[in-house]
Amino acid sequence: MILMLTGYPMDKMQEVEAFFRTGHLQYIPHLSVDCVIFGFHEGELKVLLLKWKHLERWSLPGGPIRRDQSVDETAHVVLKDRTGLDDIFLQQFYAFGSMDRKESVLLELFDRLNVSNHEANWLSERTVSIGYYALVDFSKVNPVPDFFSEACSWWDVCDRPSLLFDHDAMVERALQTLQQQLYYQPIGLNLLPDKFTMPELQQLYEAVLGRKLDRRNFQKKIQKMGIVERLKERRTGGAHRSPYLYRFDVPRYEQALAEGLAYGF
Amino acid sequence: MILMLTGYPMDKMQEVEAFFRTGHLQYIPHLSVDCVIFGFHEGELKVLLLKWKHLERWSLPGGPIRRDQSVDETAHVVLKDRTGLDDIFLQQFYAFGSMDRKESVLLELFDRLNVSNHEANWLSERTVSIGYYALVDFSKVNPVPDFFSEACSWWDVCDRPSLLFDHDAMVERALQTLQQQLYYQPIGLNLLPDKFTMPELQQLYEAVLGRKLDRRNFQKKIQKMGIVERLKERRTGGAHRSPYLYRFDVPRYEQALAEGLAYGF
DNA sequence: GCAAAAGTGTTTTCTGTACACCCATGC
DNA sequence: GCATGGGTGTACAGAAAACACTTTTGC
């Protein structure tokens, strides 16, 4: 096998060759993890995407599952490798296993990489992918591309390029799951900086739900949840009246996550 | 390989041998589907379980995923094979992929079956399993064991034997998912016979939620959903006053499933 | 007739939503 | 001082929960 193509660092070629040849010994073939990593910046919900070398197209970050690693661990490693972040809210939302997700673009790429179909067989057949979504603090992320990608960057969820594989459907489903969970679970911890204002939290909710909320009712609702505490400080420097800063009450927040907030029936 | 053990039909031995030897060519190794099949009978929520030959223990029905079949299709085939039922509400709820689910009891079984570890290797390593739950009409099910099991029968969800692998956790999580979905999706279609009484539907809700509901409020709530129509008939024969029969308004029911019923926020 | 289940309606409480006024800040 | 965003409280409507009496049926 000869791997020779601009954009791929020579000193890693041996490693990559081994990956194609013997990766199936270390990884479970036909199974992978993909992560929808959500961030929040300037009032917009963002998602972290990778730009593939040579394909000029984008996908979600992901990777194969090691035989000696749990699926959850794999997702955490993907998150860590792409963002530098550890110990983050990460939740499985769906396993994608339809037949039409054969990764035919990969075949093209392997072709250009001079990887024979046989050698890359364990990578090119239909792959079942387990989707996770993460909520991270935009300002703490250091985006790092993986070997196959030349760029790793944030995109507006609502204004992103069309993605490879079925990753568009994954983003949609992750967002839908997030919206549903909003009704009985808090969000914000991990997504916002440690200290934040109530209007910022409201913007986050509005970005996720895709609609405006009433300022006063929102405030009452959050207060009733009992998951935030108001600080004496205010955020100064902006125009207009200075809003109070808040901080999540982490124990109560965790409790609300675990027990849920409210139900019908 | 010699397979020779009471309980295993001789005429199928060749097929089974092929399964152990070359199954990994047809199936994705280390990946499977398991189904939590719920039924409802005499006021109790039931789950369909398989009793393994020689192990004297029970598990959920499941199976490996064919390389030419989607994960959803696989789940439908499992359901069809164990119950005879087709075209049933079946929903993926979680993928189980922790490392502690190596199926060590399988090794014991393979040992007794004289299958060498090497031959059965693709079956005995840690397997990631995608969980589905189904809601079926108890009276229409014809339980059929699979090759590895000697019995297939219903158990009370709340009074079942301890299960193999991590299947106890699967049942718990399926039930939890079902409970959550109850707040924004109707259930009953497929679980109840075509015609049913309001007290029966209420018993179903109570069985799933694990608590009593108020008769009058329940009736109002269901009526407001607009998913049932009351028939002129009543159920006669029982003691006491004859209750009306109801039938699901399938188009409205499907619509409620698709759109959801109500949300907070 | 009596025990047990089924049918029905009203009241109260709570939750969600709509809405208006005052206050702080930068320009 | 004025435009803009932030802080706060009240009033109304709809949903959920609490609750009691009458009817039917088999025995």
Side-chain angles (χ1 to χ4, degrees):
Chain A
M1 174 167 67
I2 299 167
L3 285 168
M4 198 68 74
L5 210 56
T6 54
Y8 291 95
M10 284 306 292
D11 59 330
K12 284 208 169 179
M13 274 299 142
Q14 217 166 353
E15 199 180 307
V16 172
E17 230 176 296
F19 177 74
F20 282 114
R21 250 188 308 109
T22 60
H24 63 281
L25 296 175
Q26 189 180 5
Y27 298 100
I28 300 180
H30 315 305
L31 187 59
S32 69
V33 154
D34 286 304
C35 293
V36 184
I37 301 171
F38 289 113
F40 183 66
H41 187 61
E42 291 179 349
E44 300 282 350
L45 196 64
K46 307 280 187 178
V47 61
L48 195 66
L49 299 177
L50 295 176
K51 185 180 183 188
W52 283 61
K53 292 170 184 168
H54 305 289
L55 293 179
E56 301 296 312
R57 296 198 45 201
W58 297 77
S59 82
L60 293 171
I65 296 166
R66 283 174 53 161
R67 284 168 192 259
D68 62 353
Q69 217 163 39
S70 77
V71 179
D72 278 354
E73 279 166 352
T74 306
H76 277 282
V77 169
V78 168
L79 182 64
K80 170 88 180 183
D81 288 348
R82 296 302 127 249
T83 66
L85 293 180
D86 230 329
D87 203 22
I88 282 297
F89 182 85
L90 188 64
Q91 183 162 323
Q92 187 193 306
F93 65 94
Y94 200 71
F96 296 82
S98 70
M99 281 312 296
D100 55 13
R101 62 192 315 280
K102 273 189 209 119
E103 321 215 335
S104 63
V105 266
L106 275 190
L107 292 179
E108 285 176 43
L109 181 65
F110 295 154
D111 203 44
R112 299 199 208 177
L113 283 171
N114 279 330
V115 181
S116 79
N117 196 354
H118 176 74
E119 281 167 323
N121 185 53
W122 74 280
L123 280 173
S124 58
E125 247 186 56
R126 180 272 304 261
T127 294
V128 174
S129 188
I130 301 178
Y132 282 74
Y133 74 86
L135 305 174
V136 305
D137 183 343
F138 184 91
S139 65
K140 289 186 183 152
V141 170
N142 174 33
V144 178
D146 65 12
F147 180 82
F148 291 103
S149 54
E150 63 183 45
C152 179
S153 50
W154 290 107
W155 287 82
D156 272 18
V157 168
C158 302
D159 185 22
R160 61 185 142 85
S162 147
L163 303 180
L164 285 168
F165 319 119
D166 55 354
H167 289 187
D168 280 314
M170 282 195 190
V171 173
E172 288 307 320
R173 189 156 196 139
L175 189 57
Q176 188 189 320
T177 306
L178 187 55
Q179 286 172 352
Q180 283 178 7
Q181 304 213 333
L182 224 52
Y183 296 109
Y184 51 92
Q185 285 188 346
I187 70 164
L189 189 63
N190 296 335
L191 255 171
L192 292 173
D194 292 345
K195 295 175 182 178
F196 54 90
T197 68
M198 196 54 78
E200 282 165 359
L201 183 60
Q202 183 177 341
Q203 278 188 340
L204 169 60
Y205 270 78
E206 288 175 343
V208 172
L209 288 171
R211 63 190 165 88
K212 291 284 169 198
L213 299 172
D214 182 272
R215 197 158 39 98
R216 296 154 284 197
N217 295 334
F218 179 79
Q219 185 131 189
K220 270 181 287 185
K221 198 152 191 166
I222 296 294
Q223 268 160 4
K224 208 172 47 188
M225 289 182 193
I227 55 168
V228 294
E229 56 173 333
R230 187 155 94 175
L231 305 176
K232 295 265 180 282
E233 299 173 74
R234 288 157 174 262
R235 163 147 309 157
T236 55
H240 321 302
R241 179 171 182 172
S242 312
Y244 285 102
L245 285 171
Y246 289 80
R247 186 164 51 191
F248 284 108
D249 181 334
V250 179
R252 282 167 178 270
Y253 186 99
E254 303 284 0
Q255 189 189 347
L257 255 189
E259 297 175 9
L261 289 164
Y263 290 105
F265 262 101
Chain B
M1 176 167 66
I2 298 165
L3 286 167
M4 198 67 76
L5 212 56
T6 53
Y8 292 95
M10 285 306 293
D11 59 331
K12 283 210 167 178
M13 275 300 143
Q14 216 166 354
E15 198 179 307
V16 172
E17 231 176 297
F19 177 75
F20 281 114
R21 252 188 307 108
T22 62
H24 63 281
L25 296 175
Q26 189 180 7
Y27 299 100
I28 299 180
H30 315 304
L31 187 59
S32 69
V33 154
D34 286 304
C35 293
V36 183
I37 302 171
F38 289 113
F40 183 66
H41 187 61
E42 290 177 351
E44 300 283 350
L45 195 65
K46 306 280 187 177
V47 60
L48 195 65
L49 299 177
L50 296 176
K51 184 180 183 187
W52 283 61
K53 291 170 185 167
H54 305 291
L55 293 179
E56 301 296 314
R57 299 207 32 208
W58 296 76
S59 83
L60 293 170
I65 296 166
R66 282 174 52 164
R67 285 169 190 259
D68 62 353
Q69 219 164 38
S70 76
V71 180
D72 277 354
E73 278 167 354
T74 306
H76 277 282
V77 169
V78 168
L79 182 64
K80 171 86 179 185
D81 288 349
R82 296 301 130 248
T83 65
L85 293 180
D86 230 330
D87 204 21
I88 281 297
F89 182 86
L90 187 64
Q91 184 161 322
Q92 186 193 306
F93 65 94
Y94 200 71
F96 297 81
S98 69
M99 281 311 297
D100 56 12
R101 62 193 315 280
K102 273 191 210 117
E103 323 217 334
S104 63
V105 266
L106 275 189
L107 292 179
E108 285 177 43
L109 180 65
F110 295 154
D111 202 46
R112 298 199 208 179
L113 283 170
N114 278 332
V115 181
S116 80
N117 195 353
H118 176 75
E119 282 168 321
N121 184 53
W122 74 279
L123 280 173
S124 58
E125 248 186 55
R126 180 271 307 258
T127 294
V128 174
S129 187
I130 300 177
Y132 282 75
Y133 74 85
L135 305 174
V136 306
D137 183 344
F138 184 91
S139 66
K140 288 185 182 154
V141 170
N142 175 31
V144 179
D146 65 11
F147 180 81
F148 291 101
S149 55
E150 63 182 47
C152 178
S153 49
W154 290 106
W155 286 81
D156 272 17
V157 168
C158 303
D159 184 22
R160 61 185 142 86
S162 148
L163 302 180
L164 284 168
F165 319 119
D166 56 354
H167 289 188
D168 280 312
M170 283 195 189
V171 173
E172 287 307 319
R173 187 156 198 139
L175 189 58
Q176 187 190 322
T177 306
L178 188 55
Q179 287 171 351
Q180 283 179 6
Q181 304 214 332
L182 222 53
Y183 297 109
Y184 52 93
Q185 285 189 346
I187 70 164
L189 189 64
N190 295 334
L191 256 171
L192 293 172
D194 292 345
K195 295 176 183 178
F196 55 90
T197 67
M198 195 56 76
E200 281 164 359
L201 182 60
Q202 184 177 342
Q203 279 188 339
L204 169 61
Y205 270 78
E206 288 175 342
V208 171
L209 288 171
R211 62 189 165 89
K212 291 283 169 198
L213 299 171
D214 181 274
R215 197 155 41 96
R216 295 154 285 194
N217 295 335
F218 179 80
Q219 186 131 186
K220 270 180 284 185
K221 197 152 192 167
I222 295 294
Q223 269 160 5
K224 208 171 47 188
M225 288 181 193
I227 55 169
V228 294
E229 57 173 330
R230 186 155 96 174
L231 306 176
K232 296 264 181 282
E233 300 172 73
R234 288 157 172 262
R235 162 145 314 154
T236 54
H240 321 301
R241 181 170 180 171
S242 312
Y244 285 102
L245 284 171
Y246 288 79
R247 186 164 51 191
F248 284 108
D249 181 332
V250 179
R252 281 165 178 271
Y253 186 99
E254 303 283 3
Q255 190 188 346
L257 255 189
E259 296 174 10
L261 288 164
Y263 289 103
F265 260 102

